[in-house]
Amino acid sequence: MAPARWLCTVVTVSALAVSISASISISIGAGAGPQGTGTIRGRVETPTTPPRSVPRPSVGDVSASPSLSPDHLTRRQSVVYLESGPRGAFADLPAGRARLDQRHEQFVPHVLAITVGTTVDFPNNDLTFHNVFSLSPVKTFDLGRYPVGQSRSVRFDRAGHVPVFCDIHSHMSAYILVFSHPFFALTDDEGHYTITGVPAGSYSVAVWSESGGSDPQRVIVAEGGLVEAAFRLRQRRE
Amino acid sequence: MSQRRAAVLVASLLTAACVASTAAAQSAPPAEIDRGLKAAGDFSVVWGPRDADAFFNYTDYRHNLLRLARLRLAAEWRVRRGVSFLGQVQAENTDDVDVIAAYVRWRPWTHRGVVVQAGRIPPVVGAYARRAYGADNAVIGSPLAYQYLTLLRNDALPETMDDVLRMRGRGWQPSFPVGSAALRPGVPLVSPRWDTGIEASWRRSALEVSGAITMGAPSQPRLRATNDGRQWSGRAAWHFPAGITAAVSGARGSWLDRGVLALVAADRRRSSQSLVGADVEIGRGRWLLRSEWLRAGFDVPLASGPTAVAHLTAASAFAELRYRPHPRWQVGMRVERLAFSHVPNALDGGSLTPWDAPVSRIETVVGFRVLRTVDLRAGWQQDWRAGGRIRERGYPALQALVRF
């Protein structure tokens, strides 16, 4: 199973997608959003899909364990976020609520991005018990074993990256990314993302993905502007 | 090809399988990953004191479980929908490589919970022998029923019950006048090794039923038949929604080698071992409770004397508890007892005496999870035996366990 990874970003200049470290992208169009803000959008290109974590060989089983459903998780999903920004952009955040489901011996979604102070519910909607835990220094927790139909919750009060596992099913994994600001976006199935409402200013934009890494990227967002920033992830060498 | 060479070959193949599966996992699209090869393993090192006189933790393969390095590799190769080959090899203290499992699994129907397995297969009796060693063990040692050596041997027989009683508490190296004179250990109630044969199981909702026909006996699983008997075993388990699994199981097989049976009169040639058991597991929150009871009966032909065949029984029960007070910390405890049926003791004026020395054991462990796949444990095991030269001993033990 691939370990948790933070990726840096690469600036992409024009359609050639040539990466040049420390380049700057500047607003090129009108971006929808609150007054005094702009938009960052683009696409993250991933070289490979992270391998699915498969159950360990069930050598000791004598009966049929429930078949796993096909892996419908979006493992190519990345999170694009502002690595730095003006202090005013990191104001107090309202306490939110999010959900990381357990179905067919999988966490759904596979990647969850939240803000500090968010409480995540872990409902068990599977056919068997689960035991959700994380040893991340950002948030260490163990929810114990609980049955189908029940849920447990965890509040995340520090920013960072939290790999989540099941103590009973070693092939189950998910990632929770906790941000101290609201300026991040998950990519869609094709890698597109949009971060709206970004206060005008200069920012370092980074991208996190399970499948690869890249260098950070500097962008300048103008009031009402739209910044295009594309990323091409390098495959990890591990 | 010798068994050792075969084991080395299988070990090599599994090692290659590990590498191949890693490479395959990097490139295979998700939809195809349920086919193909997957592999895993674990490595455990236990540091405990030497034990050259009490032998409380020695196994039928002559290793001290509290002073042991063990490497396990397991692989599953799904060749087509519903058909898999599974194998597991184990190396202990670098001097043995053993094929623990090697069988084919066939699921004839995708949506019906029927499984047929043939080869060196997991046992259906009891629960402990199917669990992954180390990570799934509440403590460091094994339960008495699956490890402790009784005075009975499958290749040597007593002349009379007096010969049996003289060996009480000496299961590490019992000797008898009939059969093999070699120095060998006795047999446990249930061997942790797996037997060879075919089994079928059916699971629907909460009910799981399994049955198997194999070559050996609970105490004597076999890769090759050493007698003309067959082992019949079965198990019924219920998985309740509240996190409770309860099961009953039973087995009957021939445990004596044909070579030693041939040395007794024809009317005394009985060699069956029977086993009945019940087990329960309750997991809730940070607690995990497991308990198991087993009762084994051995037919022991006596070469001379008025009693042709002695039927000796032994019963074992344990309860173990694991608690995780913190995501990185866990504590575990197992309490158990192994008792034996009583026989008249002519050496002691005819009083009734257990045919082997009863044993009690308490073991506690504190574990720390360094990483998700790395555990460190420290424990203490205290044993008491109502017989033998050493009647009580405590063992400290440290364990490092890595899963990959």
Side-chain angles (χ1 to χ4, degrees), chain B residues 249-393:
Chain B
S249 56
R252 189 177 184 87
S254 294
W255 73 285
L256 288 171
D257 287 356
R258 63 169 70 91
V260 71
L261 269 180
L263 300 176
V264 297
D267 63 336
R268 297 177 179 231
R269 290 178 190 162
R270 284 166 53 187
S271 69
S272 75
Q273 182 197 353
S274 60
L275 186 80
V276 291
D279 56 88
V280 65
E281 175 178 315
I282 304 171
R284 196 75 184 208
R286 297 177 178 185
W287 297 90
L288 179 64
L289 171 67
R290 286 168 171 160
S291 185
E292 194 165 340
W293 171 84
L294 290 167
R295 182 180 184 278
F298 295 86
D299 282 341
V300 182
L302 301 175
S304 63
T307 305
V309 178
H311 186 70
L312 305 179
T313 62
S316 167
F318 73 80
E320 65 183 29
L321 188 66
R322 190 189 74 192
Y323 176 65
R324 282 223 170 91
H326 181 272
R328 289 190 184 274
W329 291 94
Q330 74 168 45
V331 292
M333 172 181 269
R334 182 187 293 141
V335 179
E336 54 185 326
R337 170 85 172 162
L338 174 61
F340 302 90
S341 60
H342 289 66
V343 296
N345 186 356
L347 305 172
D348 190 25
S351 63
L352 290 176
T353 306
W355 59 268
D356 201 346
V359 182
S360 300
R361 175 181 286 171
I362 294 178
E363 186 171 358
T364 57
V365 157
V366 175
F368 179 72
R369 186 150 52 177
V370 182
L371 301 169
R372 187 168 75 99
T373 54
V374 179
D375 286 286
L376 298 177
R377 292 174 174 182
W380 182 273
Q381 182 192 95
Q382 190 72 31
D383 293 88
W384 296 268
R385 180 165 50 204
R389 280 191 301 136
I390 308 294
R391 301 204 169 199
E392 181 178 356
R393 178 152 292 178

Side-chain angles (χ1 to χ4, degrees), chain B residues 200-222:
Chain B
S201 66
W202 171 73
R203 180 169 179 171
R204 182 166 185 177
S205 186
L207 178 63
E208 175 188 346
V209 179
S210 306
I213 306 171
T214 52
M215 287 197 295
S219 64
Q220 286 294 305
R222 290 293 177 200

Side-chain angles (χ1 to χ4, degrees), chain A residues 96-157:
Chain A
R97 199 98 193 175
R99 179 186 175 100
L100 194 62
D101 209 344
Q102 299 156 75
R103 278 182 269 153
H104 306 297
E105 294 185 15
Q106 294 171 342
F107 287 112
V108 182
H110 184 59
V111 179
L112 180 67
I114 59 174
T115 53
V116 166
T118 298
T119 298
V120 177
D121 297 319
F122 294 89
N124 181 355
N125 289 311
D126 213 335
L127 301 173
T128 180
F129 270 55
H130 288 298
N131 187 152
V132 184
F133 78 98
S134 177
L135 300 179
S136 167
V138 174
K139 185 70 180 182
T140 304
F141 64 91
D142 185 344
L143 302 183
R145 294 175 177 228
Y146 55 99
V148 180
Q150 290 195 8
S151 183
R152 300 284 187 273
S153 301
V154 177
R155 180 185 159 100
F156 293 84
D157 292 319

Side-chain angles (χ1 to χ4, degrees), chain A residues 51 54 58-59 62-63 145 167, chain B residues 25 33 103 105 201 285 324 369:
Chain A
V54 295
S58 55
V59 178
V62 291
S63 66
R145 294 175 177 228
D167 192 48
Chain B
I33 282 179
Y103 63 90
R105 174 183 292 161
S201 66
R324 282 223 170 91
R369 186 150 52 177

Side-chain angles (χ1 to χ4, degrees), chain A residues 53-218:
Chain A
S53 294
V54 295
R56 297 166 75 85
S58 55
V59 178
D61 287 355
V62 291
S63 66
S65 52
S67 296
L68 294 182
S69 65
D71 188 7
H72 297 303
L73 301 178
T74 311
R75 291 177 186 276
R76 300 178 77 96
Q77 209 164 30
S78 306
V79 181
V80 183
Y81 60 95
L82 299 191
E83 201 174 48
S84 62
R87 184 171 294 275
F90 302 88
D92 287 344
L93 299 166
R97 199 98 193 175
R99 179 186 175 100
L100 194 62
D101 209 344
Q102 299 156 75
R103 278 182 269 153
H104 306 297
E105 294 185 15
Q106 294 171 342
F107 287 112
V108 182
H110 184 59
V111 179
L112 180 67
I114 59 174
T115 53
V116 166
T118 298
T119 298
V120 177
D121 297 319
F122 294 89
N124 181 355
N125 289 311
D126 213 335
L127 301 173
T128 180
F129 270 55
H130 288 298
N131 187 152
V132 184
F133 78 98
S134 177
L135 300 179
S136 167
V138 174
K139 185 70 180 182
T140 304
F141 64 91
D142 185 344
L143 302 183
R145 294 175 177 228
Y146 55 99
V148 180
Q150 290 195 8
S151 183
R152 300 284 187 273
S153 301
V154 177
R155 180 185 159 100
F156 293 84
D157 292 319
R158 285 176 58 194
H161 160 240
V162 183
V164 177
F165 304 101
C166 174
D167 192 48
I168 303 171
H169 306 97
S170 61
H171 53 281
M172 290 176 65
S173 66
Y175 297 90
I176 298 175
L177 282 79
V178 189
F179 295 99
S180 56
H181 60 74
F183 305 113
F184 56 85
L186 277 160
T187 58
D188 62 19
D189 290 347
E190 296 183 343
H192 297 291
Y193 74 92
T194 304
I195 305 174
T196 59
V198 181
S202 174
Y203 301 98
S204 174
V205 181
V207 58
W208 177 93
S209 170
E210 190 182 358
S211 60
S214 77
D215 298 322
Q217 178 175 348
R218 197 94 196 149

